[in-house]
Amino acid sequence: MRILKVNTYAPDTALYQAFGPDVVFDIHRSGAEATEPPSLERCRAADAVINCAATLQIGVPVEAFDRCKIVVREGVGYDTLDLAGWGARGVPVCNVPDYGTTEVADHALALLLSLTRGTSSYQEAVRDRTDGWHYAAAPLVRRLRGQTFAVLGLGRIGLATARRAAAFDMKVIFYDPYLPNGAELAVGYERVRSLDEVMARTDILSVHTPLTDETRGMVGEKLLAKAKPDLIVINTARGPIIDLDALTEALKAGRIAGAGLDVLPREPADPEHPLVKAWRAREAWTEGKLSLTPHSAFYSPSALDDMQRKAIEVIVTYLNEGVLMNCVNLEHLRQKPRPA
């Protein structure tokens, strides 16, 4: 069994050896090598492919993979994979939805707390100024108890984030048109049926949807125009779900209060984008109101190990036992896939 790992960024570990000598790994690395896609020879020899990067595509047409029987995204988001193209060849595409749930949920609350408890602002004030020892140095400090916390997409991570928000005595509401009726009764949170109502009611919006044609730019100018002026937007999902230009204008004009972003439409951050440029220049309208982190919400050493191991387990289980897990392109498969 030959597994091609594309855009690998994690260090080699004993993990690969744990799958035994019958599983061979062909490692295509990030950095300089990843500027070029894997060679056609490597693609043709692969029985399975893992794309490790959240923002990089495999870079080779699906037709080049003569032997490939399964593709796995080593992570949750799968917008970098051609679901229809692989499906047309009868190849299932899978992801790893259960490796970093707690880390991302923790990170969403950490971004919120960095703004509403002012931890980042206080640190910078104390370090940079002799007069910085003052409780009013952070502009967005507020009492979280009683705030309305809206979850956009109540999947695994959204639900884990909602539970954490509820533990801070916030009122949790959620919007997710794909959950069946009665889901609100199971989770105990209020379901809101329209985004307009979400924006009219919420103090904190936490984004947890996948990136699809439907969700791309979902949080944009029209939606932000309906926001309460004290709104804080948190995004630990995918950058393009939020229209960054619209968010920039809303924040600069004071139509929303702040934002905590772990993901951006372009990664690494575009240094010329007005929001990033203003944040780096410490312009007044960003100070204490904008927190940026480098698509790191998923990360902990434990999560990284889980992510790599689970991606391989999906492949090995399918090819050895015919059991398919976490398939995200079932609707595109021409027929029920079977290992050769």
Side-chain angles (χ1 to χ4, degrees), residues 18 26 51 54 71 100 133 154 181 202-203 212 216 223 252 278-279 290 303 319:
D26 182 3
N51 187 8
V71 176
W133 198 266
L154 199 74
N181 289 342
T202 192
D203 302 298
T212 65
R216 186 179 298 272
L223 200 62
K252 188 173 184 179
W279 177 72
L290 178 63
L319 295 184

Side-chain angles (χ1 to χ4, degrees), residues 141-225:
V141 171
R142 65 175 73 170
R143 177 179 289 170
L144 288 178
R145 179 171 57 85
Q147 293 272 286
T148 297
F149 185 97
V151 177
L152 186 57
L154 199 74
R156 297 172 183 86
I157 297 172
L159 181 56
T161 306
R163 292 177 59 239
R164 284 154 174 75
F168 279 85
D169 293 328
M170 288 184 272
K171 176 179 176 56
V172 176
I173 63 176
F174 72 92
Y175 173 83
D176 193 327
Y178 291 96
L179 289 181
N181 289 342
E184 64 275 15
L185 302 178
V187 299
Y189 305 128
E190 181 184 351
R191 184 174 200 158
V192 178
R193 295 288 184 175
S194 77
L195 285 171
D196 287 354
E197 184 181 349
V198 167
M199 298 305 281
R201 293 178 55 186
T202 192
D203 302 298
I204 298 133
L205 179 70
S206 193
V207 179
H208 299 285
T209 72
L211 177 61
T212 65
D213 290 340
E214 181 182 3
T215 63
R216 186 179 298 272
M218 176 181 285
V219 182
E221 182 179 0
K222 290 183 179 179
L223 200 62
L224 290 170

Side-chain angles (χ1 to χ4, degrees), residues 68-90:
C68 182
K69 304 173 187 68
I70 184 171
V71 176
V72 177
R73 168 75 242 288
E74 192 179 81
V76 179
Y78 45 85
D79 48 279
T80 57
L81 295 173
D82 182 359
L83 304 187
W86 287 109
R89 294 175 63 85

